[in-house]
Amino acid sequence: MLVQAPSKIFKNDFRIWQENEKNTVTEILNDKDRTYTLYNVKEIVLDIEGELRLSFEEERTLLILPLYGEIIITDFYETISAGMSLTLNTQAGKDIVIKNMVYHDRTDVLIFEFKKEENIQNYTKNVLDFTLKNNAFNISKVLQQPNFIGLYNGRAEGYYALKDADKSIFGMVINGAFEFQNRLMENRDAILLWELEELEFEALSENALILFMEV
C-alpha cells in the first residue's frame, strides 16, 4: 500500500509570469529559508534576440536545461540546445547572461539554483539520450545530489529508492501527465515531497517527460 507522504504542489495554472523587454520569467520554486539544497527553480522564455541577466550575491551551482531552442551563456563558448544540460558554479557578484541563439523563434529554459557544490570546477555539458524510453537517467553527471529525467510511454511505471532518507524529492512534469506518488500532475506542474523512502509514478500519456531530484 502506498503511504501518502507530505507534499506541496506548484500548479502551472496558478503561476505568475513576469514579462520584461527581452524575456518572460516565472518562479516555480523559491526556498527562501534554505531548507533544501535546491534554492530556486525558474522557467524563462527568451524572445527573438532576447537575453536574461542573472546576478548572485553568493556562489551557487546552476543547472541549465533548455526545453526548446538554443542558448549561449557568459564565458561558455558553445551553444546549448534542447536535449542538453549545462552545470556550472557562479561567482559572487558576477552576472551571468543567457542569450537566445534562435533567430526566428523564442527559446524556453529551466534554471535550477543549488547550494554551491565544491566538486564542480568548470562548465560541464551533458547530452541527454532519450532513445531508451521508460528509464530515468542523470540530467547532470557532475551534480552530487541524485537528479533524473525520463521519457515514458502511457501507463509505464517508475520507482526510485531515495539514496538519502533525510532528503526530499522535487519533481516536475515537462510534458504530458503523470500520477506522481499518487498525485495527478500535468504539463509544467511541480511538487515537493518529503518523509518518503521510495518514489512511485506512472505516465498517463504518451511521450510523457518528467524530472525529479533529491533535495
Side-chain angles (χ1 to χ4, degrees):
M1 180 178 177
L2 182 62
V3 177
Q4 192 83 345
S7 66
K8 183 176 182 180
I9 297 178
F10 308 92
K11 296 293 291 183
N12 181 46
D13 291 344
F14 302 143
R15 202 161 288 150
I16 297 172
W17 288 85
Q18 182 178 354
E19 189 171 351
N20 303 296
E21 183 179 352
K22 297 182 178 181
N23 58 67
T24 308
V25 181
T26 186
E27 197 168 59
I28 298 167
L29 172 70
N30 187 351
D31 179 21
K32 295 179 180 179
D33 297 328
R34 303 295 185 250
T35 306
Y36 309 98
T37 53
L38 177 61
Y39 291 163
N40 191 280
V41 182
K42 291 184 178 70
E43 182 175 0
I44 63 169
V45 177
L46 298 174
D47 296 336
I48 296 173
E49 299 184 350
E51 65 180 39
L52 176 70
R53 184 176 297 271
L54 298 172
S55 180
F56 301 92
E57 295 180 359
E58 300 177 6
E59 294 179 322
R60 296 283 186 262
T61 294
L62 296 186
L63 173 60
I64 299 175
L65 180 65
L67 302 179
Y68 177 79
E70 186 175 52
I71 60 171
I72 195 165
I73 78 164
T74 307
D75 296 335
F76 187 73
Y77 304 105
E78 299 178 32
T79 57
I80 309 296
S81 57
M84 300 178 182
S85 71
L86 185 69
T87 311
L88 65 140
N89 278 348
T90 68
Q91 297 179 26
K94 181 178 180 181
D95 289 355
I96 289 178
V97 179
I98 304 174
K99 295 184 178 181
N100 182 9
M101 296 299 289
V102 181
Y103 71 91
H104 62 279
D105 205 350
R106 298 189 296 177
T107 294
D108 192 355
V109 184
L110 287 179
I111 302 174
F112 301 85
E113 177 188 340
F114 299 92
K115 178 180 179 181
K116 183 186 177 183
E117 293 191 4
E118 298 293 343
N119 66 301
I120 297 172
Q121 301 297 326
N122 299 305
Y123 295 78
T124 304
K125 184 167 71 171
N126 186 34
V127 177
L128 309 178
D129 184 2
F130 294 104
T131 304
L132 181 59
K133 285 189 176 182
N134 308 323
N135 176 60
F137 58 92
N138 288 134
I139 308 168
S140 168
K141 294 181 179 179
V142 295
L143 275 179
Q144 290 182 323
Q145 60 195 72
N147 62 99
F148 303 96
I149 194 168
L151 186 66
Y152 288 81
N153 293 324
R155 295 302 174 185
E157 297 180 347
Y159 303 90
Y160 174 72
L162 274 71
K163 302 293 190 296
D164 186 341
D166 294 327
K167 292 290 188 180
S168 302
I169 288 284
F170 173 81
M172 183 174 178
V173 175
I174 305 301
N175 183 64
F178 281 85
E179 189 175 86
F180 196 79
Q181 200 70 8
N182 210 29
R183 280 87 163 168
L184 174 62
M185 291 177 58
E186 298 176 290
N187 196 46
R188 296 297 202 276
D189 289 347
I191 190 171
L192 268 173
L193 292 155
W194 56 96
E195 296 180 17
L196 74 165
E197 296 180 356
E198 184 177 79
L199 174 68
E200 300 180 18
F201 55 91
E202 179 183 358
L204 303 179
S205 57
E206 285 297 316
N207 296 316
L209 183 61
I210 196 165
L211 64 81
F212 60 92
M213 54 189 69
E214 290 189 32
V215 298

